[in-house]
Amino acid sequence: MCTFFPNQNFEKITSRVQSKNKDQVKHYYYRLVRRMNKLFGPELSLDAKHSKYTNAAMLRWWSLLEKYSCKVSKLHLKPRRFNHFLESLEYQLLKDRKKNIKK
């Protein structure tokens, strides 16, 4: 089991992504969380104790990448698109957190 994200089941994820092994999936997960935290700053950082928020943020991340039809590696090369992407993502995450607080 993972010490940082105890609720994550990397074996289950690996079984769905058959081209990758468990260590690759785990490494990618942590790398993406670090990248997202670096972009968000302290006000929207993803907490290891709330993997539900982390997973929701990742889903928002990928859906917005599809919407802006851009790869992660190319996103920083287009500053205007990058700023719109970040603003949209932060707005969606704040909206999701407020919705969960009301429940």
Side-chain angles (χ1 to χ4, degrees):
M1 266 299 177
C2 176
T3 57
F4 298 110
F5 291 94
N7 295 333
Q8 291 301 334
N9 188 349
F10 291 107
E11 287 89 11
K12 190 174 183 180
I13 296 169
T14 304
S15 69
R16 290 186 171 227
V17 184
Q18 296 174 352
S19 62
K20 305 291 180 190
N21 65 32
K22 179 183 170 188
D23 291 333
Q24 290 172 319
V25 169
K26 196 171 173 180
H27 175 74
Y28 178 76
Y29 182 86
Y30 292 127
R31 195 176 73 219
L32 185 57
V33 168
R34 270 195 316 265
R35 179 183 291 162
M36 292 170 77
N37 277 334
K38 191 177 186 181
L39 292 174
F40 294 149
E43 66 276 355
L44 266 178
S45 66
L46 301 173
D47 187 10
K49 295 175 185 169
H50 301 299
S51 63
K52 181 173 89 172
Y53 295 132
T54 305
N55 293 341
M58 286 184 176
L59 290 172
R60 292 285 188 193
W61 171 273
W62 288 111
S63 66
L64 284 172
L65 279 177
E66 285 180 2
K67 178 181 175 183
Y68 287 97
S69 63
C70 192
K71 293 183 180 180
V72 177
S73 60
K74 304 287 183 189
L75 194 59
H76 72 282
L77 297 174
K78 300 181 179 190
R80 187 178 302 138
R81 185 180 290 181
F82 180 72
N83 287 335
H84 287 297
F85 175 82
L86 271 182
E87 288 171 3
S88 298
L89 185 59
E90 288 175 354
Y91 173 76
Q92 290 296 328
L93 291 177
L94 286 172
K95 189 173 156 186
D96 288 346
R97 285 189 181 180
K98 287 179 184 176
K99 188 188 307 181
N100 286 334
I101 290 171
K102 288 180 182 178
K103 288 181 180 180

